[in-house]
Amino acid sequence: MKERLLLSFTLLVVVYTLVPWVVTRIFSIGVFRKGSAGNRIALTFDDGPDPEYTPLLLDLLKKHDVKATFFVLGAKAERHPDLIGRIHREGHQIGIHNYSHKSNWLMSPWSVRRHQVERSADIVSSITGSKPAYYRPPWGILNVFDLFTLKSYNIVLWSVMPKDWRSRIAREKLKSRLETRIREGSVILLHDSGQTFGADPDAPAYMLTALDEVIAGMLQKGLIPVRVDELLEESAEYRLGIFKRVLVSIWMGWEWCFVKLFRVKPIDSMNPLLKIRIREYQGRQAIALPDGEQIRKGDRVAELHLDNYTLYQLGLHSRSPVQLATQLIRQTRLLMPEIGKLMLTDPLYRDVKGLYAITMIHRGSRQLGFTVIDLPNGLFARVTRTYLRLLLYVVHPNGKDRLKEKTALLEPKIVAISKNELKLRYTA
């Protein structure tokens, strides 16, 4: 009986604590961690407002004319309404970081919502006249119910955490960590108070010194710090439904396994759109190409693959299917000389007859020199059709709608080009 109770308790703890950690930290489900908005990033500050360091931080942000997001503790907001008012007046965003700096794992979901989040939101609202809609839990820790009970809030984590709450790191390493880790769309976690558990009281002073130089460097590079709500609004991926994002995460995990298992290599590490592997052609029907070359069963071919994550990102930021197709053709054209060079100079490709792929995205391939051939009827064609239609649903933001329209144009085709044609077109 005791063993069963212990097992039940253990399972309860795992579900309550570890499951939401995996869901949010690994799959980013139900939370916002990183944007995809061009040259913008978000500076965020936790644990304030602090009467010593928050005014200095606000002066610094004003000096560089940039905006940030403050995830404040309700208890501190209650004690320092003047600082909350100043943050709001100067155009920064205010989010909630609980009433006190307690872990959500150690509280019931009702206590988190009523006594931590809603209480803090009411305090901020009474000062600014605007109720916060963004929330970050202390230490980024959520319990399993928070994803449901806090649905009215946008839950924000981070993509860059340089550990600025430690004085030594803030003094010696913070500048270099920020400069090397910040990318377009980054959400950076910093602290304008050193009064919480585990933090060094003087760490924010060193953080401010480093941040002054980092912001100046970012602006010179064209990276613009904005509020989290602005970054999120411009991040197309976050606007997708949770189910679609879960499906994308699972599919990308499968793609990673496929690439590793079958040793599929990118043509250009700086442009990962196209990948390639050598294999034997297994089709029953020979592929006759215009220059007289024929690819028969057992012949070695270079099989071309689209990188589905890159395709997914292109789809997110394309205004229409036509724009997406145009971008694919343009990027493929840029990579074709690299493919030709690889097949003509790498010994591994010595006896390869040509380049081959099965795809539904074949519009425009003829202008690149490919021959487009119908896939022979049979079980393989049916399985391939199902697989590629599912892929389209996953990687295309409007995949569900695309499957309903122009069905005849979504038939998988064989596209192929001989090694000699590659040489004539792209390496002469």
Side-chain angles (χ1 to χ4, degrees), residues 287-291 293 355-357 362 365-374 413-418 421 425:
I287 301 174
L289 299 174
D291 61 357
E293 183 68 270
L355 191 62
Y356 159 88
H362 44 75
S365 57
R366 286 188 174 89
Q367 62 184 273
L368 299 176
F370 285 93
T371 298
V372 180
I373 304 166
D374 290 335
K413 304 277 188 180
I414 295 171
V415 296
I417 184 172
S418 70
E421 185 69 20
R425 281 178 173 263

Coordinates of all heavy atoms in Angstrom, one line a residue, residues 287-291 293 355-357 362 365-374 413-418 421 425:
I287 N 14.0 6.8 -65.9 CA 13.8 8.2 -66.1 C 14.6 8.6 -67.3 O 15.8 8.6 -67.3 CB 14.2 9.1 -64.9 CG1 13.4 8.7 -63.6 CG2 14.0 10.6 -65.2 CD1 13.9 9.3 -62.4
A288 N 13.9 9.0 -68.4 CA 14.5 9.4 -69.7 C 14.7 10.9 -69.7 O 13.7 11.6 -69.6 CB 13.7 8.9 -70.9
L289 N 15.9 11.4 -69.8 CA 16.2 12.8 -69.7 C 16.4 13.4 -71.1 O 16.9 12.6 -72.0 CB 17.3 13.1 -68.8 CG 17.1 12.7 -67.3 CD1 18.4 12.8 -66.5 CD2 15.9 13.4 -66.7
P290 N 16.2 14.7 -71.4 CA 16.3 15.2 -72.7 C 17.6 15.1 -73.4 O 17.7 15.0 -74.6 CB 15.9 16.7 -72.5 CG 15.1 16.7 -71.3 CD 15.7 15.6 -70.4
D291 N 18.7 15.0 -72.6 CA 20.0 14.9 -73.2 C 20.4 13.4 -73.6 O 21.6 13.2 -73.9 CB 21.1 15.5 -72.3 CG 21.2 14.8 -71.0 OD1 20.4 13.9 -70.7 OD2 22.1 15.2 -70.2
E293 N 20.4 10.9 -71.4 CA 20.8 10.1 -70.2 C 19.5 9.4 -69.7 O 18.4 9.9 -69.8 CB 21.3 11.1 -69.2 CG 21.8 10.4 -67.9 CD 23.0 9.5 -68.1 OE1 22.8 8.3 -68.4 OE2 24.1 10.0 -67.9
L355 N 20.8 14.3 -60.6 CA 20.1 14.8 -59.5 C 18.6 14.5 -59.5 O 18.0 14.6 -60.6 CB 20.3 16.4 -59.4 CG 19.9 17.1 -58.1 CD1 20.8 16.6 -57.0 CD2 20.1 18.6 -58.4
Y356 N 18.1 14.1 -58.4 CA 16.7 13.5 -58.4 C 16.0 13.9 -57.2 O 16.6 14.0 -56.1 CB 16.9 11.9 -58.5 CG 15.7 11.1 -58.1 CD1 14.7 10.8 -59.0 CD2 15.6 10.6 -56.8 CE1 13.6 10.0 -58.6 CE2 14.6 9.8 -56.4 CZ 13.6 9.5 -57.3 OH 12.5 8.7 -56.9
A357 N 14.6 14.1 -57.3 CA 13.8 14.4 -56.1 C 12.4 14.0 -56.4 O 12.0 14.0 -57.6 CB 14.0 15.8 -55.7
H362 N 7.1 21.7 -57.3 CA 7.8 21.6 -58.6 C 7.6 22.7 -59.6 O 8.1 22.7 -60.6 CB 7.5 20.2 -59.2 CG 6.0 19.9 -59.2 ND1 5.1 20.5 -60.1 CD2 5.3 19.0 -58.5 CE1 3.9 20.0 -59.8 NE2 4.0 19.1 -58.9
S365 N 10.5 24.5 -61.6 CA 11.7 23.7 -61.7 C 12.2 23.5 -63.1 O 13.4 23.3 -63.3 CB 11.5 22.3 -61.0 OG 10.4 21.7 -61.6
R366 N 11.3 23.6 -64.1 CA 11.7 23.4 -65.5 C 12.7 24.5 -65.9 O 13.6 24.3 -66.7 CB 10.5 23.4 -66.4 CG 9.8 22.1 -66.4 CD 8.7 22.0 -67.5 NE 8.0 20.7 -67.5 CZ 7.0 20.4 -66.8 NH1 6.4 21.3 -66.0 NH2 6.4 19.2 -66.9
Q367 N 12.4 25.7 -65.4 CA 13.3 26.9 -65.8 C 14.7 26.7 -65.2 O 15.6 27.4 -65.6 CB 12.7 28.2 -65.4 CG 12.5 28.4 -63.9 CD 11.8 29.6 -63.5 OE1 12.4 30.7 -63.4 NE2 10.5 29.6 -63.5
L368 N 14.9 25.8 -64.2 CA 16.2 25.5 -63.7 C 16.9 24.4 -64.4 O 18.0 24.0 -64.0 CB 16.0 25.2 -62.2 CG 15.5 26.3 -61.3 CD1 15.3 25.9 -59.9 CD2 16.4 27.6 -61.3
G369 N 16.2 23.8 -65.4 CA 16.8 22.7 -66.1 C 16.3 21.3 -65.8 O 16.7 20.3 -66.4
F370 N 15.4 21.2 -64.8 CA 14.8 19.9 -64.4 C 13.8 19.4 -65.4 O 13.0 20.2 -66.0 CB 14.2 20.0 -63.0 CG 15.2 20.1 -61.9 CD1 15.6 21.3 -61.4 CD2 15.7 19.0 -61.3 CE1 16.5 21.4 -60.3 CE2 16.6 19.0 -60.3 CZ 17.0 20.3 -59.8
T371 N 13.8 18.1 -65.5 CA 12.7 17.4 -66.2 C 11.6 17.0 -65.2 O 12.0 16.5 -64.1 CB 13.2 16.2 -67.0 OG1 14.1 16.6 -68.0 CG2 12.0 15.4 -67.6
V372 N 10.4 17.3 -65.4 CA 9.3 16.9 -64.5 C 8.5 15.8 -65.0 O 8.0 15.8 -66.2 CB 8.4 18.2 -64.3 CG1 7.3 17.8 -63.3 CG2 9.2 19.4 -63.8
I373 N 8.4 14.7 -64.2 CA 7.8 13.5 -64.7 C 6.7 13.0 -63.7 O 6.9 13.2 -62.5 CB 8.8 12.3 -64.8 CG1 10.0 12.8 -65.7 CG2 8.2 11.0 -65.3 CD1 11.2 11.9 -65.6
D374 N 5.6 12.5 -64.2 CA 4.6 12.0 -63.3 C 5.1 10.8 -62.5 O 5.8 10.0 -63.0 CB 3.3 11.6 -64.1 CG 2.6 12.7 -64.7 OD1 2.7 13.8 -64.1 OD2 1.9 12.6 -65.7
K413 N 5.6 14.9 -58.0 CA 6.2 14.7 -59.3 C 7.7 14.3 -59.1 O 8.3 14.7 -58.0 CB 6.2 15.9 -60.2 CG 4.8 16.5 -60.4 CD 4.0 15.8 -61.5 CE 2.7 16.5 -61.9 NZ 2.0 15.8 -63.0
I414 N 8.2 13.6 -60.0 CA 9.6 13.3 -60.1 C 10.3 14.5 -60.8 O 9.8 14.9 -61.9 CB 10.0 12.0 -60.8 CG1 9.4 10.8 -60.0 CG2 11.5 11.9 -61.0 CD1 9.5 9.5 -60.8
V415 N 11.3 15.1 -60.2 CA 12.1 16.1 -60.9 C 13.5 15.6 -61.0 O 14.1 15.1 -60.0 CB 12.0 17.5 -60.3 CG1 10.6 18.0 -60.3 CG2 12.6 17.4 -58.8
A416 N 14.2 15.7 -62.2 CA 15.5 15.1 -62.3 C 16.3 16.0 -63.4 O 15.7 16.6 -64.3 CB 15.4 13.7 -62.8
I417 N 17.6 16.0 -63.2 CA 18.5 16.6 -64.2 C 19.8 15.8 -64.2 O 20.2 15.3 -63.2 CB 18.8 18.1 -63.7 CG1 19.6 18.8 -64.8 CG2 19.4 18.2 -62.4 CD1 19.8 20.3 -64.5
S418 N 20.3 15.6 -65.4 CA 21.5 14.8 -65.5 C 22.8 15.6 -65.0 O 22.8 16.8 -65.0 CB 21.7 14.4 -67.0 OG 22.1 15.5 -67.8
E421 N 23.9 17.9 -67.8 CA 23.2 19.1 -67.9 C 23.5 20.1 -66.8 O 23.6 21.3 -67.1 CB 21.7 18.8 -67.8 CG 20.7 19.9 -68.1 CD 20.8 20.4 -69.5 OE1 21.2 19.7 -70.4 OE2 20.4 21.6 -69.7
R425 N 24.9 23.9 -67.7 CA 24.1 25.0 -67.2 C 24.9 25.8 -66.1 O 24.7 27.0 -66.0 CB 22.8 24.6 -66.7 CG 21.7 24.3 -67.7 CD 20.4 23.8 -67.1 NE 19.4 23.7 -68.1 CZ 18.5 24.6 -68.4 NH1 18.5 25.8 -67.7 NH2 17.6 24.4 -69.3

